[in-house]
Amino acid sequence: MKPETQINRRREEFPTLASGIHLLSHSLGPVPRAARESIIAYYEAWEHHTSEDAWATSWWEMSTRVGDRIAGILGGAPGSVQTQPNASIALSSVASCFDFKAGKRNKIVTSSLDFPSMEYVWDAQRRVGARVEIVPSDDGITVPLERILDAIDHETCLVALSHVSFRSSYRVDAKAIVELAHKYGALVLLDVYQSAGAVELSASEWEVDFLIGGTIKWLCGGPACGYLYVRPDLQKDLTPRLTGWVAHAEPFAFASAPMRYDDSVRRFAQGTPSIPALYSVLPGLQIIEEVGVKTIQSESQSRTECMIDFALEQGWKVNSPRDVNQRGGSVMIYVEDGPAMVNRLAERKVFVDCRPGVGLRLSPHFFNTDEEVREAMEILAELK
């Protein structure tokens, strides 16, 4: 590896790192030490205020505060992100904006490398008239851009793809897909769960319509906080059927139906938000902001390149793209028995996971050092 970049890795802010080599950011980011204080702050707000006081003084604004922090990481404007219970609900909220039986424009373009939740949600839409076209992958690693573009036509209402695949770390060309989809009058949704916080995103520049994801992975924010980015000039045109009282223009008026949607991105909310989850994500978001995604991506590209070089020198099969411009922050290395190897590595204090047919998934983040990444690869070589 080249000489290590001198950045503040903030290792002291992640107690988990003392237990071993953490290469699991694609699955569960380490908890920031400050998350404990943030959760205590939530408890104290609950303990010392009445219900109405807590909502008025802090809780009601939490979704906006967290949403705007996430929007910055996504390359979007303030007011473009509504927090969600999870990414599946975020995706379902978008799906509920479409009337698939209204005419011929009822086609959804997806890919075989998307996370299963996306497939489950779109499969369910077939019952209400959606036509789902799944663009295949010949090698289980990539989907040729030309094949995705060829699937987009005048009957397409939405192109919904993983920006970076959980299976292979393959990264699609977001800008090219958005440009063609918009020419056909279709919208584009990208699942950025595996890229936000690890790869520079440019939601505004791409003019992408929707981004979904969550904070549990690269954003070091823990579970139960998903998000939905909606292009600002598109927001008022959509009325999601998946809704709730928080999405109302005057939620505390407790008005009867029909629904009167708020004019902001809050129209994509549902019921009462998970306030503890919103508190828990703030320290991780602050760390990612301060380190900077540009720095994180540069570190990631260098580390993953060296990991792949090491693997190929050993004659191992790598199930991730070789081209750094087509790769996210993870490297997938094939092993015969993934679960057994995960356990053996854990015994040596190297923490990774695996997926069927893919092998090991290894994900260095900015807090990892060159030394420990090299050590992890050498331990794998001993065990393999």
Side-chain angles (χ1 to χ4, degrees):
M1 291 186 179
K2 63 183 182 181
E4 185 160 349
T5 307
Q6 295 302 310
I7 67 168
N8 183 359
R9 301 195 183 282
R10 300 169 182 262
R11 291 178 64 84
E12 71 283 355
E13 298 185 33
F14 298 99
T16 304
L17 302 185
S19 63
I21 301 174
H22 187 285
L23 297 174
L24 275 169
S25 290
H26 59 267
S27 180
L28 175 62
V31 60
R33 189 184 303 276
R36 181 187 296 271
E37 288 71 34
S38 193
I39 290 295
I40 291 173
Y42 155 72
Y43 173 82
E44 290 178 346
W46 184 16
E47 180 182 24
H48 297 299
H49 298 279
T50 66
S51 173
E52 290 186 3
D53 286 343
W55 282 110
T57 58
S58 57
W59 289 0
W60 183 252
E61 298 300 324
M62 282 295 289
S63 290
T64 300
R65 286 179 56 199
V66 172
D68 284 350
R69 301 285 285 271
I70 294 172
I73 293 171
L74 302 181
S80 60
V81 170
Q82 174 60 43
T83 58
Q84 301 282 315
N86 52 58
S88 295
I89 296 297
L91 181 61
S92 297
S93 175
V94 173
S96 74
C97 295
F98 292 88
D99 182 357
F100 298 112
K101 293 183 178 179
K104 290 185 177 180
R105 191 179 282 275
N106 61 355
K107 178 178 169 183
I108 308 292
V109 175
T110 69
S111 98
S112 60
L113 297 182
D114 298 336
F115 191 70
S117 273
M118 294 186 72
E119 183 178 359
Y120 302 154
V121 169
W122 294 126
D123 187 58
Q125 305 312 307
R126 286 187 167 106
R127 289 178 286 182
V128 291
R131 291 191 298 115
V132 182
E133 180 172 338
I134 302 174
V135 181
S137 168
D138 293 333
D139 57 8
I141 299 175
T142 64
V143 177
L145 175 62
E146 296 74 18
R147 190 174 289 178
I148 295 172
L149 299 181
D150 286 345
I152 303 170
D153 57 26
H154 290 292
E155 297 183 357
T156 304
C157 61
L158 182 69
V159 182
L161 304 166
S162 290
H163 182 229
V164 169
S165 172
F166 83 108
R167 286 187 54 84
S168 66
S169 201
Y170 171 66
R171 175 156 48 111
V172 300
D173 185 338
K175 194 168 185 178
I177 291 168
V178 171
E179 286 179 354
L180 183 66
H182 284 180
K183 286 181 181 179
Y184 279 103
L187 302 179
V188 176
L189 178 148
L190 297 177
D191 176 357
V192 294
Y193 223 138
Q194 289 292 351
S195 54
V199 174
E200 281 195 283
L201 304 178
S202 304
S204 296
E205 179 187 341
W206 295 341
E207 298 185 335
V208 65
D209 304 293
F210 308 101
L211 301 175
I212 64 169
T215 58
I216 191 173
K217 304 180 191 298
W218 300 95
L219 298 178
C220 304
C225 184
Y227 53 83
L228 169 61
Y229 166 92
V230 184
R231 200 181 80 224
D233 61 332
L234 181 66
Q235 292 172 11
K236 293 182 182 180
D237 297 335
L238 302 174
T239 54
R241 294 186 299 278
L242 179 60
T243 190
W245 73 278
V246 175
H248 197 279
E250 295 183 89
F252 292 102
F254 306 109
S256 299
M259 178 65 168
R260 184 160 61 87
Y261 292 91
D262 189 71
D263 285 339
S264 74
V265 75
R266 183 162 54 79
R267 73 197 287 120
F268 297 91
Q270 298 88 37
T272 305
S274 176
I275 301 299
L278 298 180
Y279 272 88
S280 73
V281 306
L282 287 171
L285 294 177
Q286 181 172 340
I287 291 171
I288 298 300
E289 289 169 350
E290 291 174 353
V291 175
V293 179
K294 183 176 182 178
T295 295
I296 294 171
Q297 177 169 312
S298 176
E299 289 277 289
S300 174
Q301 290 179 342
S302 174
R303 298 282 171 69
T304 53
E305 192 78 2
C306 290
M307 293 168 72
I308 291 175
D309 286 344
F310 185 98
L312 295 178
E313 288 171 4
Q314 301 295 318
W316 301 341
K317 181 181 180 183
V318 176
N319 285 322
S320 295
R322 190 67 180 88
D323 184 347
V324 69
N325 296 311
Q326 293 186 345
R327 191 172 67 242
S330 302
V331 173
M332 285 63 173
I333 297 175
Y334 182 76
V335 294
E336 288 292 335
D337 189 336
M341 183 59 77
V342 167
N343 291 335
R344 294 175 68 192
L345 286 167
E347 291 172 357
R348 299 285 297 273
K349 307 300 181 184
V350 177
F351 303 112
V352 302
D353 70 3
C354 64
R355 288 293 180 268
V358 172
L360 302 179
R361 303 195 301 170
L362 305 93
S363 301
H365 211 334
F366 75 94
F367 47 71
N368 292 117
T369 66
D370 286 346
E371 182 180 34
E372 66 179 0
V373 172
R374 186 185 303 110
E375 180 183 355
M377 298 302 289
E378 290 172 351
I379 290 173
L380 177 58
E382 291 178 27
L383 299 177
K384 209 171 185 302

